[in-house]
Amino acid sequence: MSLLVVGSIALDSIFTPFGETADTLGGSAVYFSVAGSLLHPVQVVGVVGSDYPRAELERLASRGIDWSGVEQAEGESFRWKGKYSYDLQSRETLETRLGVFADFRPKLPEAFRSSGYLFLGNIDPELQLGVLEQITHPKLVVCDTMNYWIKGKKDALMALLERVDVLMVNDSEARELSGDWNIHRAGRWILAHGPKRVVVKQGEHGAMLMEPGRTFYAPAFPLEEVFDPTGAGDAFAGGFMGYLARIGSISEDSIRSAMIYGAVMGSYAVAHFGIRGFDGVTLIDVQRRVRTFRDLTHVALAELMP
Amino acid sequence: MSLLVVGSIALDSIFTPFGETADTLGGSAVYFSVAGSLLHPVQVVGVVGSDYPRAELERLASRGIDWSGVEQAEGESFRWKGKYSYDLQSRETLETRLGVFADFRPKLPEAFRSSGYLFLGNIDPELQLGVLEQITHPKLVVCDTMNYWIKGKKDALMALLERVDVLMVNDSEARELSGDWNIHRAGRWILAHGPKRVVVKQGEHGAMLMEPGRTFYAPAFPLEEVFDPTGAGDAFAGGFMGYLARIGSISEDSIRSAMIYGAVMGSYAVAHFGIRGFDGVTLIDVQRRVRTFRDLTHVALAELMP
C-alpha cells in the first residue's frame, strides 16, 4: 500500500550557533520523504516555484521518492528563515515567504488517490482537508499542524481533526490547541476531538504516544552533537509512517514500534544542516540504531519485581 | 544492610497555583525518608531547631524511619519559602533561612557508621564529606547538590565527587556543574570527575541514568494533576536507594530498576503539598505503579525488528 505526503517544499535559510545555510532544500514534505523512503517508497504532493532547484529534488528520486505530484508554478518558492538559540532549545522565525504556496490547490495524480498511508504535513488545514478528500480509502491518516494555523484557522483545523487517525504535534502546539498546559490533559482534550491517537514530540525529551487510557514514551537518541533541529519532527513522521507502510500494519504494537523508527529518523535529521544528516544512511544503519534504542529503556523484569 | 540519609529537615512555605502552605514538614532528608521507608528502613542524620514540631517527625517513625541521628539545637529551624509558576515548570526561592543548619556539624551515632547505602542529600558539600568520612564501609554512596553549592563551594564539591558512586542532580545542575548545555556531554564530563554513574532528573520528562557508553531513560509517570513538585527529586532518591537497600544489590540491572522505583516515588511526591502525597500509600501500591511503568516504554520485539 502506498505512502503519500503533502507538505511544504521549501528553501530554508538557517542560523545555528555552528554555522548558517542559505536557500537549502527543506520543508515538511522533503524531510518526511527523505526519512520515510529509507523504509518505504514515498509519493509527494506539493508545489515549488520557478526558482526551485528541481535537479536537487530529482537526485533524491533514486531513494524511492516519487515527485510526480509536485507542481511547478510561476513565482517564488516557499522560503523560511530561522535562527536557533545557543543551546538549540528555541528558535525564532526571521522570515516566512509563502510564494507559490499562497495559491496552491493540491490536485492529486490519479495514481496517488488510492494511497493507504497519508501524512498531512504542516500546511494550511484547508489544503490538508483538500488532499484528504481526494484519497479514496485511506488506511491511516496522520496530520501535523503548527501554532500559526491553531491561531488563524482553528475551525478548519478542528474539522480536519475529526477526520484524522493521529495528530502529531510538538508539546507547545498540543498545549496551545487544547488551552491546557498539562500535557496529559492536553492529550486527552485532543483525543476527545477526533483523533484516536496523539503523538507529542518533545525534542531532546523524545516523543509520547497517547491513546485513551494508555501512554507510551519513546526516548530521544542520546546525542552529544546536535547541529540543526530543523525538520526533526517531519523526519520523525517519515520514520513513523514509513515503518507502518513497510510492515502493512497499524496494530497497537506496530504503532509503538513506529514511534521508535520515528525517533531514529529524528536523530539523523538533527545531526547536520538540512537533510544532510541522512547522507549515506542505509536501512542497516536504521535497524542498528533501532536496536540500540531498545536498550535505552530496557529493564530486566526479574529485577523490577523481585 | 542499612540505609542512611543526611540532609535538611525543614519547614517549607510553598505557593503553588493551587494553594499555599506555611511551615510544613519538608527538606531533603524528610522527603527521602518518607519515600525510602516504603521499601527499607531509613536512618536519618540532620538537625532541627528548638521550634521544630518533633512530634510530627516522631509520628513518621512508625514507617521505619529512625530519627535518633537528628540533633535538636538551640535556635531556629531551617526554613525555605518558594513560589511556583502557573505551569509548575519553574520556581522562585523567596527566602532561605539556614537557622541551626549554619553551625551544623553532623556526628553519626555509632550504630549508623556501618551503613551500606548512603545518600548525601543537598547540603553543604563539606558537611556531606564530613558524614561520608564517618561511614566505615559504604557499599553505595549517592549524592545530590544544587546550583548554590556549585557556585559557592565548587572545590569541596569536586573533592566530594571523587568519592561518590552516583551523582544525582537535575538537568540545570548538571549543565551548570559541567559548563556544557548538552546534557549528554555534561554527563560525560561528570563521569570523568569521579562518579561511576550520573542520574539526571528532568521533572515531567523523567530521569536519565548515564554510565560510560550506556544510557537509560526512566519516564515520568503520566499525571494529569500535579500539585506541588517540591521534594520530587528527594523522593526519587528515596525510592532509588530504598529499592537497592531492599534487594541488597547494586548490579547494572538493579540500578535500572531502582530508577523506576525512584520515578514512582517522585510521582507520589508531586500529587499533594509536602509529604501528603504519600499518605496511605503502601508497598502494594508502589509495586502496582512499578508494573504500570513497564508498559510506558514496552515495545514488542517481534514488531520492532520484523
Side-chain angles (χ1 to χ4, degrees):
Chain A
M1 250 184 160
S2 61
L3 169 58
L4 179 74
V5 57
V6 58
S8 57
I9 303 170
L11 293 171
D12 289 342
S13 298
I14 303 164
F15 300 81
T16 84
F18 315 113
E20 54 186 86
T21 60
D23 282 351
T24 186
L25 243 60
S28 57
V30 169
Y31 281 102
F32 179 96
S33 325
V34 169
S37 61
L38 276 161
L39 299 164
H40 195 80
V42 182
Q43 300 168 332
V44 185
V45 170
V47 63
V48 295
S50 38
D51 57 350
Y52 207 83
R54 268 202 92 119
E56 288 193 47
L57 286 186
E58 293 307 335
R59 259 201 297 281
L60 298 172
S62 63
R63 295 169 168 256
I65 306 175
D66 179 350
W67 301 106
S68 65
V70 177
E71 282 176 47
Q72 185 142 18
E74 212 40 61
E76 199 188 48
S77 296
F78 178 73
R79 278 178 168 76
W80 178 78
K81 193 184 279 189
K83 187 180 174 176
Y84 287 89
S85 62
Y86 75 100
D87 58 1
L88 305 176
Q89 296 295 302
S90 63
R91 75 178 184 197
E92 188 191 349
T93 289
L94 301 175
E95 194 179 17
T96 305
R97 277 148 68 187
L98 284 182
V100 291
F101 243 96
D103 300 312
F104 179 47
R105 295 293 167 272
K107 197 168 172 325
L108 270 58
E110 196 53 44
F112 282 17
R113 294 176 189 243
S114 59
S115 276
Y117 296 85
L118 174 61
F119 182 68
L120 303 168
N122 168 31
I123 53 174
D124 187 327
E126 290 175 17
L127 299 188
Q128 291 174 311
L129 265 170
V131 169
L132 179 53
E133 276 161 5
Q134 296 175 59
I135 304 288
T136 51
H137 293 96
K139 183 170 176 179
L140 183 75
V141 180
V142 179
C143 87
D144 188 4
T145 191
M146 70 183 292
N147 299 354
Y148 184 77
W149 309 117
I150 295 170
K151 269 209 193 78
K153 293 264 177 113
K154 184 81 173 267
D155 291 348
L157 181 58
M158 295 310 294
L160 175 67
L161 285 189
E162 283 176 24
R163 300 184 51 187
V164 307
D165 300 298
V166 181
L167 177 68
M168 188 177 279
V169 286
N170 68 35
D171 37 14
S172 72
E173 289 154 358
R175 290 189 170 106
E176 183 158 347
L177 179 59
S178 64
D180 198 324
W181 54 263
N182 179 291
I183 199 67
H184 304 287
R185 284 197 307 258
R188 190 154 53 84
W189 186 96
I190 294 167
L191 290 176
H193 287 81
K196 288 184 278 294
R197 295 186 166 97
V198 184
V199 174
V200 177
K201 298 166 289 180
Q202 305 188 286
E204 64 166 325
H205 299 299
M208 200 167 10
L209 168 69
M210 294 172 176
E211 301 166 321
R214 206 174 174 208
T215 300
F216 173 73
Y217 288 100
F221 196 71
L223 290 173
E224 292 200 4
E225 303 295 339
V226 174
F227 205 78
D228 173 15
T230 312
D234 297 305
F236 183 102
F240 183 91
M241 296 293 279
Y243 169 80
L244 293 173
R246 181 184 182 84
I247 64 160
S249 158
I250 53 171
S251 72
E252 214 163 323
D253 278 343
S254 305
I255 300 262
R256 287 188 162 212
S257 289
M259 293 284 292
I260 304 295
Y261 278 83
V264 165
M265 296 302 178
S267 75
Y268 288 123
V270 302
H272 266 290
F273 269 126
I275 56 173
R276 279 177 45 201
F278 290 95
D279 284 357
V281 174
T282 66
L283 181 58
I284 303 292
D285 297 322
V286 171
Q287 290 177 326
R288 192 177 297 130
R289 195 164 277 195
V290 164
R291 216 170 295 132
T292 65
F293 254 87
R294 199 177 116 81
D295 189 57
L296 291 176
T297 59
H298 182 70
V299 186
L301 199 57
E303 284 292 329
L304 193 60
M305 305 297 302
Chain B
M1 251 184 159
S2 59
L3 168 59
L4 180 74
V5 56
V6 58
S8 57
I9 302 170
L11 293 171
D12 287 344
S13 298
I14 303 165
F15 301 82
T16 84
F18 317 113
E20 54 186 86
T21 60
D23 282 351
T24 186
L25 241 60
S28 57
V30 170
Y31 282 102
F32 179 96
S33 323
V34 169
S37 61
L38 276 161
L39 298 164
H40 194 79
V42 182
Q43 300 168 332
V44 184
V45 170
V47 64
V48 295
S50 37
D51 56 352
Y52 207 83
R54 268 202 90 119
E56 289 192 47
L57 285 186
E58 293 307 336
R59 261 201 295 282
L60 298 171
S62 62
R63 295 170 169 256
I65 305 174
D66 179 350
W67 300 106
S68 65
V70 176
E71 282 176 48
Q72 184 142 20
E74 212 40 63
E76 198 187 47
S77 295
F78 178 74
R79 277 178 168 78
W80 179 77
K81 192 183 280 189
K83 186 179 175 178
Y84 287 90
S85 62
Y86 75 99
D87 59 0
L88 305 177
Q89 296 297 302
S90 62
R91 76 177 183 199
E92 187 191 350
T93 290
L94 302 174
E95 195 179 16
T96 304
R97 277 147 69 187
L98 285 181
V100 291
F101 243 95
D103 300 312
F104 179 47
R105 295 292 168 274
K107 197 173 172 318
L108 271 57
E110 196 55 41
F112 282 18
R113 295 178 188 239
S114 59
S115 277
Y117 296 85
L118 174 61
F119 182 68
L120 303 168
N122 168 30
I123 52 172
D124 186 327
E126 289 176 16
L127 298 187
Q128 291 174 312
L129 265 170
V131 170
L132 179 54
E133 276 161 3
Q134 295 175 59
I135 304 290
T136 50
H137 294 96
K139 183 171 176 178
L140 183 75
V141 180
V142 179
C143 87
D144 188 4
T145 190
M146 70 183 293
N147 299 354
Y148 185 76
W149 308 118
I150 295 170
K151 268 208 193 80
K153 293 265 176 111
K154 184 80 173 264
D155 290 350
L157 180 58
M158 295 310 294
L160 175 67
L161 285 190
E162 283 175 23
R163 299 183 52 187
V164 307
D165 299 300
V166 181
L167 176 68
M168 187 178 280
V169 287
N170 66 35
D171 38 15
S172 71
E173 290 154 358
R175 290 188 170 108
E176 182 158 347
L177 179 59
S178 63
D180 199 323
W181 54 263
N182 179 290
I183 200 66
H184 303 287
R185 283 196 307 259
R188 190 155 52 87
W189 186 95
I190 294 166
L191 291 175
H193 286 82
K196 287 184 277 296
R197 295 184 165 99
V198 183
V199 174
V200 177
K201 298 167 288 181
Q202 305 188 286
E204 64 167 327
H205 298 300
M208 201 168 9
L209 168 69
M210 295 172 174
E211 300 167 321
R214 207 173 172 207
T215 300
F216 173 73
Y217 288 99
F221 197 70
L223 290 173
E224 291 200 5
E225 302 296 338
V226 174
F227 205 79
D228 173 15
T230 312
D234 297 305
F236 182 101
F240 182 91
M241 296 293 280
Y243 169 81
L244 293 173
R246 181 183 181 84
I247 64 160
S249 158
I250 53 170
S251 73
E252 215 162 323
D253 278 342
S254 305
I255 300 263
R256 286 188 162 211
S257 289
M259 293 284 292
I260 304 294
Y261 279 83
V264 165
M265 296 303 179
S267 75
Y268 288 123
V270 302
H272 265 289
F273 268 127
I275 56 172
R276 281 178 42 202
F278 290 95
D279 283 358
V281 175
T282 66
L283 181 58
I284 303 291
D285 298 321
V286 170
Q287 289 177 327
R288 191 177 299 131
R289 195 164 277 195
V290 164
R291 217 170 294 132
T292 65
F293 254 88
R294 199 177 115 81
D295 189 57
L296 290 177
T297 59
H298 182 70
V299 186
L301 199 57
E303 285 292 330
L304 194 61
M305 304 298 299

